[in-house]
Amino acid sequence: GKKRCDYEVFGSMLELYQQNLVDLLAKGDESKIKKKALNVRQEKNGAVSIENLIEEQCHNAEDLSTLMDRGNEQRTTASTAMNSESSRSHLVLIVRIKSTNRETK
């Protein structure tokens, strides 16, 4: 049978470090760093979005895994008494799946 819906998958990664939001897909790449701050917004329908956050399309599981590896490499680390390479930040991985009904587009 014919597929009724098309799906697209997008990934973003950010860290919360010392009360600052940092786009991990832009960090370390001067061409991608936006001068605008990341702002958390709640839409009227309750959905939460982050303005100015880079979102990349992932065509398969390998793309998403590569995105996660790139973001993890950019995380802020600082030593603690327990771990010499402890992350001192909170990581947020956002995977957005967009479905489009081919019949009603």
Side-chain angles (χ1 to χ4, degrees):
K2 194 169 101 174
K3 283 193 321 182
R4 184 191 294 168
C5 294
D6 288 322
Y7 297 96
E8 294 175 282
V9 177
F10 300 87
S12 303
M13 285 182 77
L14 63 107
E15 71 177 342
L16 174 60
Y17 179 68
Q18 295 181 344
Q19 298 184 354
N20 295 312
L21 292 176
V22 179
D23 188 336
L24 292 174
L25 299 181
K27 189 176 175 183
D29 185 345
E30 295 300 320
S31 67
K32 288 186 178 179
I33 294 177
K34 297 181 180 181
K35 302 300 177 206
K36 297 176 185 172
L38 299 180
N39 295 313
V40 178
R41 291 239 187 246
Q42 185 168 10
E43 310 297 333
K44 290 179 183 173
N45 66 3
V48 176
S49 65
I50 299 164
E51 292 179 329
N52 305 313
L53 181 65
I54 290 176
E55 182 178 68
E56 294 183 6
Q57 188 168 3
C58 299
H59 296 96
N60 52 43
E62 186 177 337
D63 285 354
L64 185 58
S65 181
T66 299
L67 178 140
M68 291 170 57
D69 290 342
R70 282 184 19 236
N72 268 323
E73 288 172 5
Q74 297 302 321
R75 290 191 72 190
T76 302
T77 58
S79 63
T80 65
M82 296 288 285
N83 185 340
S84 64
E85 292 185 16
S86 173
S87 174
R88 306 298 293 161
S89 66
H90 298 280
L91 172 72
V92 179
L93 169 68
I94 300 169
V95 177
R96 183 172 68 89
I97 301 171
K98 176 183 172 185
S99 66
T100 305
N101 187 320
R102 300 173 102 193
E103 297 169 4
T104 61
K105 278 190 184 179

